[in-house]
Amino acid sequence: MNFLRGVMGGQQTSGAQQSGTQTIQKLCDRVASATLLDDRRDAVRALKSLSKKYCFEVATQAMDHLINVLQTDRSDSEIIGYALDTLYNIMSNEADETDENQQIASDDLGVQFSETFIKQQDNITLLLSLLEEFDFHVRWPGVKLLTTLLKHQSTQVQQIVLVSPMGVSRLMDLLDDSREVIRNDGLLLLQQLTKSNAAIQKIVAFENAFERLLDIITEEGNGDGGIVVEDCLLLLQNLLKYNNSNQNFFKEGSYIQRMKPWFEVGDDNSGWSAQKVTNLHLMLQLVRVLVSPVNPPGATSSCQKSMFQCGLLQQLCIILMATGVPADILTETINTVSEVIRGSQVNQDYFASVNAPSNPPRPAIVVLLMSMVNERQPFVLRCAVLYCFQCFLYKNQKGQGEIVATLLPSTIDANALSAGQLLCGGLFSTDSLSNWCAAVALAHALLDNATQKEQLLRVQLATSIGNPPVSLLQQCTNILSQGDKLTRRGSKVQTRVGLLMLLCTWLTNCPIAVTHFLHNAANVPFLTAQISENLGEEEHLVQGMCALLLGICIYYNDNSLENNTKDKLKQLIEKRIGKENFTEKLGFITKHEFYSKAAQKPQPIFSSPDHMLFDHEFTKLVKELEVVITKAIYKSSEEDKKEEEVKKSLEQHDNIVSHYKNIIREQDIQIEELKQNIASLQTTNEQNQSTMSLQLGQIQQHKDQYNLLKVQLGKDSQHHSSQISCAQLNGFQPEEVSRLKEEIEELKKQQDILQGELSEKNVFIESLQQSRVDGQTDQTTGVSEKSAELQKELETLRSQLHVQSTEINRLQAERMELLQKTEITGSLPASDSPSVNSQSDTKMEQKVAQLLKETASLKEELKNQYEDKSSLKQQLDTAQSTAAILQDETEKLKQELAESKKEQDDLLVLLADQDQKIFGLKKKLKELGEPVEDEDDLESGDAGDEDDLDDDGDDDEDLRD
C-alpha cells in the first residue's frame, strides 16, 4: 500500500522517484494479480491519474487489463468507473497543457487505440451493457467513451451497435435520464451515431425520438434555450436529412405543427444573443430539410401543405417583414420561405398577398425586389431574394402573368412602385450584379409560358426625352451591342451573359419573338461578328451564348421573314463562321467551370459576385437545346422541309388522336358510372323481390288460415244444428209459425245470394294474387278498377247484412214474446190448451237457430274478407309504384347505353383510320432515315389498343344485355 500512496502523490519512502513506465508496469501487474478488490481499485485509480500524462504507455500496457476489469468486476461500480475514465483519457487525447513534460500524442494515436479496442466486437457489446447501469460514475464515463469511439471509428461502431440486441434502444434511454449532464452527453452520442447511417436513423426515429427531442426543446425554451436546444436540432437534422422515410413519419406524426412556436418572435427584436441566433438558424434549416427541392415531389408538396395549414408559413412571413431581425437570420428566413412556396400554388398565392408593414402597405415581393436591385445590400441577401422570386414563379403561371402585367402599358400605375418597374430599373442600371439578377428574374417570369413571352413584346420603354419609345426586346439588344462602353471588363461579361440568358429564354419556343428579334437588321450581323471573332478566354462564354441565341433563331424560325429564313441563316453561318467553328463556340457554355456548379442546385450559391454567371434553369435549357441546334445546323433545306411537314402532320394526327382518346376516356368514365348505377338498381331490385316474396308468403299463409277457419266453422255449424234439433219448443201460434216460415225462407234466399257473391269474390282474390306474382306492372289499371268494384260490392254486402241483422233482432224479439206466451199457456189445464203440432214447432226452431248461426258465420267471413282486401290493396300499391320507378330507370339506362354504343362505334372507325394514317407516316419517316419506333412495336401497340377498345365494346354489349 505504501507503493500506491507514493504513486498517488504521497511521501515517497525511497530516495529515487520511479519512472512513469515502470510505475505503469507495476500497476498493471497489481491489477492483474491482486486478489483483494480494494488493491485492484487503487491500482486502476492510479492508472487513471497517469493516463493523461502517459497516454501511450497506459494504452499499450493497461488496455487489456482494463477491459478484463470491465468484464470481471462489474459488481463494483467504483472500479468500473475508474476503468472507463482511463479508457476515455487514452482515446480522446485530451492533453494537459500545464505540464511541460507531458507527451502530446497526435490525432492518429486516438484513432489507433480506438481501432484496437473495437477489434473485439464484444468490447462494444460490453460497453453497451454497462450503459444500463444507473450509477452516475459508470454511465457518464461510458457515454463519453462510446462517443469518442464513434468519432474515431464511426462506421465500424455503427455496424456493431446495429447488430447488437437492443443496442439502439439502450442509447435512446439516455434521453430520459433525469441527470442533465448524462442526457446532454447522450445527445452528442446520438449525433455521432446517426451520421450517414439511414438504418440507425430509422430505428432512432421509431424509438419515439421526435417526441422526446421536441419535448426537450420546449422544456429548454425553444429558440431562447441554450446549447442543449442546438444539440437537439442537430440531431433532428441528422434524422431527417436525405431520409424520406423519417420525413414522412415526421409529417404524419403531426410534428410539423409543433415547430410553429419556434418562430414566434416579439415586437422588440433587438439584442439577440449569439445562441438564439444559432438556434433559430438551425430551426430554419430544419424546415428547409423537409421541403428541400431534392426530396421527392410528393413528399415536399405534402409538407408544404401541412406548413400552410398549421400557420408555419404565415409565421415565417411575419419574421420576413419584421424589423430588427439579424441579417443572417433574415437571409435564412428568405431562403426558407422560398422553398416552402416553391411549386405550391396555394402557398404562392398566399405569399403574393403578404404586405409589408409600411405606409402605404407594399407587397412583400416589391419590398424584396427593392433589396435585390440595391447594390448596398449584402451579397448573400440579394442572392436569397433572387431565389425567393424564382421559387415564387416556379410552375406558377398566374404569378408570371401578374409580374408581366406590371410592365404592360395598360396596367402601369405611375403612383405606385411595381415589380416590373424594379426589374426594368435593375436591368438597365450601372450595377452589373443588378443587371444579372434582374435579367434572370425576368427570364423566370417567361419560363415555359408562351403567352407571357408574347405579352412582353408589347412593353415599350422611354429611353430619353424627345426620342420615340423602343421595345424591351430592342433595348436589350442595344445594350448588348453597346457593351464595349462599360468600364469594368468583368462587369461587362456579367451584364451581357445575363441579357443573353434573358433573350435565349424569351425566344425559345416562341416564333413570334424570333421574328421580332430578326426584324432588326443589326441583330444577326452583331451575333455573327461576336461568334467569328477570336477573343480571349474571358469572352468565350459570351461567344457561346451568342451562338446559342443564333441557333434558337434558326430552330424556332417560322420563315416569315424572307431575308432571315432558316436556309439563309444557315448559309450565313457556313460562310461567315463555319459549322465546325459554330459548334465549337456553342460548346463553350457547358465547358465553363461555373456551369456544372449552377446545374447542381436551384438555389443560387456563389462565393463572390464575379462567379454569378449561370442560372440553374438556364443550364437545363442549354442541355435541351444544344443537341437540337447542332442537328439543325447540319441538316439540308430539303430535310428541314420534309421534317417540318412530317412534324406538322404528326402534330395534327397526335392532336386528333389525343382528342378522341379524351372523348373515349370520358365515355369510359360515364360507362363506369352507369355500371355503378345499374349495380345499385339491381341491388334495389333484389331487395324488392325479396320483399315481394316475403309478402307473397304472408298472403299464402293468410289464405291457408282463412281456409282452415272456414272448415272449422262448417263443423261447428253442423254440431250446433244437431244440438238444436234435440230442443223442444212449445207454445207457438199457427199464424206466427207460418209467418216465421216465410221469413226464414226469404232469409235462406238472401243467404244463397250472399254465398254466391262470396264465392265470386274468393275467385277474384285468387286471380288477383296470381296476376300480382306474374307481373303487377301490366295489370295496374285493371286491378285498380276491380278493387273499386270490390269496394262497392263490399259496401252493398255490409248494408244487406245490416238489414238482415235488424230482421234477426226483430225475429228474436218476437220469439221472446212467444216464449212468454208459451209459459202463460202452460200454466193453464191441459184440456184448455190449444192443440199444436209439436213436430212442426221443433223444425221451425231448428231452422231459426241454423239461420242465426249461418248469419253469424257470414258476418265473420265478411270481416275477414275486408281485412284481406285492405292488406292486398296496400301491398299492390307499394309493388306497383316500385315497378313503375324501376321500369322508367331501366328504359333511360337502355337508351343511354344505346347512344354511347353508337358514339363509341363511330369513334372506333375514326381511330382505325387515324392509326392507319399514322402507320403510313411512320413508314415514310423510316424511309427518310429518321429514328422511329419499330413497326412490330407499333403493330403490337395498335393491337393492344384495339384489344382495349374491343374489351370496352364487350362491356357495352354486356350492359345492353
Side-chain angles (χ1 to χ4, degrees):
M1 294 299 294
N2 291 334
F3 163 73
L4 292 175
R5 282 194 290 270
V7 171
M8 296 301 295
Q11 183 67 32
Q12 294 183 353
T13 56
S14 61
Q17 183 179 5
Q18 299 178 351
S19 66
T21 304
Q22 294 175 349
T23 303
I24 292 170
Q25 181 62 45
K26 291 181 179 180
L27 290 173
C28 292
D29 294 340
R30 181 60 59 89
V31 172
S33 60
T35 57
L36 294 177
L37 180 60
D38 292 340
D39 293 343
R40 294 198 300 276
R41 186 189 303 117
D42 293 337
V44 174
R45 182 167 60 244
L47 287 173
K48 173 189 171 184
S49 63
L50 296 172
S51 58
K52 290 186 177 181
K53 184 176 181 179
Y54 301 100
C55 177
F56 182 79
E57 290 78 4
V58 174
T60 54
Q61 298 183 39
M63 183 179 292
D64 294 337
H65 299 295
L66 295 173
I67 294 174
N68 186 56
V69 168
L70 296 177
Q71 295 172 346
T72 57
D73 293 329
R74 293 191 58 174
S75 59
D76 186 71
S77 59
E78 190 175 359
I79 191 174
I80 294 296
Y82 292 148
L84 291 173
D85 281 332
T86 305
L87 290 172
Y88 170 73
N89 290 337
I90 64 179
M91 293 181 189
S92 62
N93 296 326
E94 293 182 356
D96 187 1
E97 299 178 355
T98 59
D99 192 346
E100 298 179 358
N101 298 324
Q102 182 181 8
Q103 300 176 2
I104 300 176
S106 63
D107 293 338
D108 294 338
L109 196 60
V111 176
Q112 294 176 4
F113 293 153
S114 300
E115 184 178 0
T116 303
F117 183 82
I118 66 174
K119 280 184 179 179
Q120 295 294 329
Q121 295 187 6
D122 295 339
N123 294 340
I124 300 297
T125 306
L126 175 63
L127 188 56
L128 291 173
S129 64
L130 291 174
L131 291 179
E132 293 181 347
E133 297 290 338
F134 188 74
D135 190 283
F136 180 81
H137 298 287
V138 176
R139 205 170 206 184
W140 188 39
V143 171
K144 294 192 295 181
L145 175 59
L146 188 56
T147 305
T148 303
L149 292 172
L150 283 167
K151 289 180 180 178
H152 295 324
Q153 300 288 335
S154 60
T155 305
Q156 293 83 348
V157 177
Q158 284 174 343
Q159 293 300 322
I160 298 173
V161 173
L162 193 59
V163 299
S164 298
M166 299 297 291
V168 178
S169 299
R170 294 172 182 173
L171 300 179
M172 287 297 299
D173 292 339
L174 298 174
L175 297 181
D176 297 329
D177 200 303
S178 58
R179 295 159 294 193
E180 290 189 1
V181 63
I182 295 179
R183 184 199 66 183
N184 298 343
D185 283 349
L187 288 172
L188 300 176
L189 170 61
L190 290 172
Q191 285 182 25
Q192 297 295 328
L193 181 67
T194 55
K195 281 184 178 179
S196 304
N197 194 306
I200 293 180
Q201 291 169 1
K202 292 179 182 179
I203 296 174
V204 171
F206 282 97
E207 287 286 343
N208 204 22
F210 295 140
E211 184 76 26
R212 299 180 185 182
L213 292 173
L214 292 175
D215 289 341
I216 294 174
I217 293 174
T218 304
E219 292 172 1
E220 295 291 329
N222 293 331
D224 295 325
I227 195 172
V228 177
V229 174
E230 179 182 351
D231 293 336
C232 291
L233 293 172
L234 289 173
L235 179 55
L236 283 172
Q237 285 192 20
N238 286 351
L239 296 176
L240 293 174
K241 199 169 186 178
Y242 306 123
N243 194 316
N244 299 329
S245 174
N246 284 0
Q247 291 174 8
N248 188 42
F249 180 68
F250 189 85
K251 178 189 70 67
E252 292 181 352
S254 300
Y255 297 120
I256 292 179
Q257 289 80 341
R258 297 188 60 179
M259 299 170 68
K260 180 186 175 183
W262 296 353
F263 306 103
E264 294 178 354
V265 297
D267 297 334
D268 185 12
N269 294 316
S270 60
W272 285 39
S273 64
Q275 187 61 53
K276 182 177 180 179
V277 172
T278 302
N279 291 344
L280 198 57
H281 196 272
L282 290 173
M283 291 173 178
L284 292 169
Q285 287 182 346
L286 188 63
V287 176
R288 295 185 63 187
V289 166
L290 296 172
V291 293
S292 175
V294 300
N295 294 341
T300 300
S301 176
S302 180
C303 291
Q304 289 172 335
K305 182 179 179 181
S306 298
M307 290 177 183
F308 175 76
Q309 291 175 346
C310 73
L312 180 58
L313 174 60
Q314 293 83 331
Q315 203 64 44
L316 292 174
C317 291
I318 292 175
I319 298 177
L320 193 66
M321 296 290 104
T323 57
V325 179
D328 53 346
I329 294 298
L330 180 61
T331 302
E332 190 64 24
T333 303
I334 295 173
N335 289 327
T336 305
V337 171
S338 305
E339 295 182 351
V340 173
I341 67 174
R342 187 176 188 268
S344 175
Q345 187 64 53
V346 176
N347 294 3
Q348 289 168 340
D349 292 342
Y350 170 78
F351 184 71
S353 65
V354 175
N355 290 324
S358 59
N359 190 15
R362 288 178 175 174
I365 298 175
V366 173
V367 176
L368 292 175
L369 289 178
M370 291 172 63
S371 301
M372 185 185 73
V373 298
N374 188 352
E375 56 183 317
R376 298 176 183 177
Q377 294 293 338
F379 172 65
V380 291
L381 179 62
R382 300 175 73 180
C383 292
V385 173
L386 175 61
Y387 183 47
C388 184
F389 191 75
Q390 292 173 347
C391 292
F392 170 68
L393 298 179
Y394 182 71
K395 295 183 178 180
N396 183 10
Q397 293 191 353
K398 178 182 177 182
Q400 290 175 327
E402 293 173 352
I403 297 299
V404 174
T406 59
L407 290 167
L408 300 178
S410 58
T411 58
I412 292 178
D413 186 2
N415 298 324
L417 188 63
S418 66
Q421 295 174 7
L422 289 171
L423 291 177
C424 283
L427 193 63
F428 306 125
S429 70
T430 57
D431 179 29
S432 62
L433 185 58
S434 297
N435 301 152
W436 190 91
C437 291
V440 171
L442 196 55
H444 276 260
L446 305 176
L447 198 64
D448 298 328
N449 195 330
T451 303
Q452 303 308 323
K453 292 177 181 179
E454 296 177 4
Q455 289 292 324
L456 200 63
L457 294 173
R458 298 169 49 198
V459 177
Q460 300 291 322
L461 302 176
T463 55
S464 59
I465 300 175
N467 293 329
V470 297
S471 66
L472 177 62
L473 181 65
Q474 184 59 44
Q475 184 64 16
C476 292
T477 56
N478 292 341
I479 294 175
L480 280 176
S481 60
Q482 297 172 4
D484 295 335
K485 297 181 181 180
L486 297 176
T487 56
R488 294 181 296 174
R489 194 169 187 80
S491 299
K492 180 184 69 174
V493 172
Q494 189 175 45
T495 301
R496 298 174 74 188
V497 168
L499 291 172
L500 286 168
M501 282 196 297
L502 172 60
L503 291 174
C504 290
T505 306
W506 194 347
L507 270 60
T508 298
N509 202 17
C510 186
I512 298 177
V514 172
T515 302
H516 279 71
F517 181 79
L518 296 177
H519 188 72
N520 187 348
N523 289 338
V524 173
F526 167 73
L527 293 178
T528 54
Q530 288 289 319
I531 299 171
S532 59
E533 289 182 3
N534 294 322
L535 303 175
E537 293 184 1
E538 65 274 7
E539 290 290 329
H540 282 176
L541 178 58
V542 176
Q543 289 184 312
M545 299 289 289
C546 292
L548 178 65
L549 182 58
L550 185 57
I552 291 173
C553 293
I554 295 174
Y555 187 72
Y556 292 104
N557 195 335
D558 57 358
N559 295 326
S560 59
L561 296 177
E562 295 182 359
N563 296 329
N564 290 308
T565 61
K566 285 185 177 182
D567 294 338
K568 291 184 178 180
L569 290 177
K570 287 194 287 186
Q571 292 174 4
L572 181 64
I573 290 175
E574 189 172 1
K575 293 179 181 178
R576 296 285 303 274
I577 304 172
K579 294 181 179 180
E580 291 78 8
N581 190 23
F582 180 86
T583 306
E584 182 183 359
K585 297 295 177 65
L586 184 62
F588 284 164
I589 301 175
T590 55
K591 294 178 182 179
H592 199 276
E593 58 178 333
F594 297 138
Y595 176 85
S596 58
K597 293 181 180 179
Q600 293 175 359
K601 293 182 179 180
Q603 181 180 1
I605 302 176
F606 304 98
S607 56
S608 67
D610 295 337
H611 296 167
M612 209 168 186
L613 293 176
F614 288 104
D615 174 56
H616 176 75
E617 293 296 331
F618 180 75
T619 59
K620 295 163 63 175
L621 183 65
V622 171
K623 188 176 180 181
E624 295 175 1
L625 294 177
E626 186 177 11
V627 178
V628 295
I629 289 175
T630 304
K631 288 183 178 180
I633 294 299
Y634 284 94
K635 281 184 179 179
S636 62
S637 59
E638 295 180 358
E639 291 177 349
D640 286 338
K641 291 180 181 179
K642 291 181 180 179
E643 184 178 354
E644 287 295 331
E645 293 177 358
V646 173
K647 186 183 294 184
K648 290 181 180 179
S649 300
L650 286 176
E651 288 179 356
Q652 293 176 357
H653 288 296
D654 289 341
N655 292 334
I656 294 173
V657 171
S658 299
H659 175 68
Y660 283 119
K661 284 184 177 180
N662 292 331
I663 294 176
I664 292 174
R665 191 177 294 109
E666 293 175 358
Q667 290 184 347
D668 288 340
I669 295 173
Q670 295 176 357
I671 290 173
E672 289 297 327
E673 293 177 354
L674 292 175
K675 286 181 179 179
Q676 294 177 0
N677 293 335
I678 290 174
S680 62
L681 291 176
Q682 288 177 348
T683 304
T684 305
N685 189 21
E686 291 175 357
Q687 294 176 355
N688 294 333
Q689 291 293 339
S690 61
T691 304
M692 290 174 61
S693 300
L694 180 62
Q695 292 176 353
L696 290 175
Q698 293 176 354
I699 292 172
Q700 186 63 36
Q701 183 179 2
H702 292 318
K703 185 177 179 183
D704 295 339
Q705 292 177 357
Y706 167 73
N707 293 331
L708 181 61
L709 290 174
K710 189 175 180 181
V711 173
Q712 291 178 353
L713 288 173
K715 292 181 180 180
D716 293 340
S717 177
Q718 294 177 0
H719 180 67
H720 193 241
S721 298
S722 62
Q723 289 180 348
I724 293 178
S725 63
C726 300
Q728 298 294 328
L729 295 175
N730 298 318
F732 286 98
Q733 296 298 326
E735 296 82 2
E736 295 175 350
V737 172
S738 61
R739 183 173 54 82
L740 289 174
K741 286 182 179 180
E742 292 176 358
E743 291 178 355
I744 288 171
E745 291 295 334
E746 185 178 357
L747 290 174
K748 278 186 177 181
K749 292 179 182 179
Q750 292 178 359
Q751 182 183 0
D752 292 337
I753 293 172
L754 292 175
Q755 288 287 350
E757 291 178 352
L758 282 176
S759 300
E760 291 178 359
K761 300 302 179 294
N762 289 334
V763 173
F764 173 70
I765 289 172
E766 292 178 358
S767 63
L768 184 63
Q769 292 175 351
Q770 183 64 31
S771 62
R772 183 175 180 275
V773 174
D774 295 338
Q776 63 274 17
T777 55
D778 298 331
Q779 302 295 332
T780 303
T781 306
V783 170
S784 301
E785 295 176 355
K786 290 183 178 180
S787 298
E789 294 176 359
L790 180 61
Q791 183 69 28
K792 294 179 180 179
E793 292 175 356
L794 286 176
E795 293 294 335
T796 305
L797 289 175
R798 194 178 292 109
S799 62
Q800 292 176 358
L801 283 175
H802 180 70
V803 173
Q804 189 175 14
S805 299
T806 305
E807 286 294 323
I808 291 171
N809 292 333
R810 186 179 60 79
L811 289 174
Q812 286 180 347
E814 292 178 355
R815 177 177 174 275
M816 293 300 297
E817 292 177 359
L818 288 174
L819 288 175
Q820 292 176 359
K821 291 179 181 181
T822 303
E823 291 178 355
I824 296 172
T825 305
S827 61
L828 296 177
S831 60
D832 296 337
S833 300
S835 176
V836 180
N837 194 345
S838 175
Q839 185 176 359
S840 177
D841 292 341
T842 302
K843 289 182 180 180
M844 184 183 65
E845 187 67 18
Q846 290 177 355
K847 289 181 179 180
V848 170
Q850 183 178 358
L851 181 60
L852 292 172
K853 184 64 177 178
E854 289 177 354
T855 302
S857 174
L858 183 60
K859 288 181 178 181
E860 186 67 21
E861 289 177 358
L862 286 174
K863 183 179 180 182
N864 294 336
Q865 291 291 338
Y866 181 77
E867 293 176 353
D868 292 341
K869 182 255 180 185
S870 300
S871 175
L872 288 173
K873 184 177 180 181
Q874 184 178 3
Q875 294 173 3
L876 280 173
D877 293 338
T878 304
Q880 288 167 3
S881 61
T882 304
I885 293 172
L886 289 175
Q887 186 174 6
D888 293 339
E889 292 177 350
T890 304
E891 291 298 329
K892 291 180 181 179
L893 291 175
K894 287 182 179 180
Q895 185 177 0
E896 291 175 357
L897 287 175
E899 293 175 355
S900 299
K901 178 62 179 177
K902 184 177 179 181
E903 293 177 359
Q904 193 169 17
D905 292 339
D906 296 337
L907 292 175
L908 288 173
V909 174
L910 290 174
L911 276 177
D913 187 21
Q914 295 299 327
D915 289 339
Q916 188 65 28
K917 292 180 180 179
I918 291 173
F919 182 80
L921 292 173
K922 297 285 186 178
K923 187 175 181 181
K924 289 181 180 180
L925 279 176
K926 187 173 183 182
E927 291 175 357
L928 293 173
E930 293 294 328
V932 295
E933 297 178 354
D934 191 68
E935 295 180 1
D936 295 336
D937 297 338
L938 292 173
E939 292 177 359
S940 62
D942 295 337
D945 293 340
E946 291 177 0
D947 291 341
D948 295 338
L949 294 173
D950 291 339
D951 292 341
D952 295 340
D954 295 340
D955 294 341
D956 296 336
E957 292 295 337
D958 295 339
L959 290 175
R960 292 196 187 95
D961 296 337

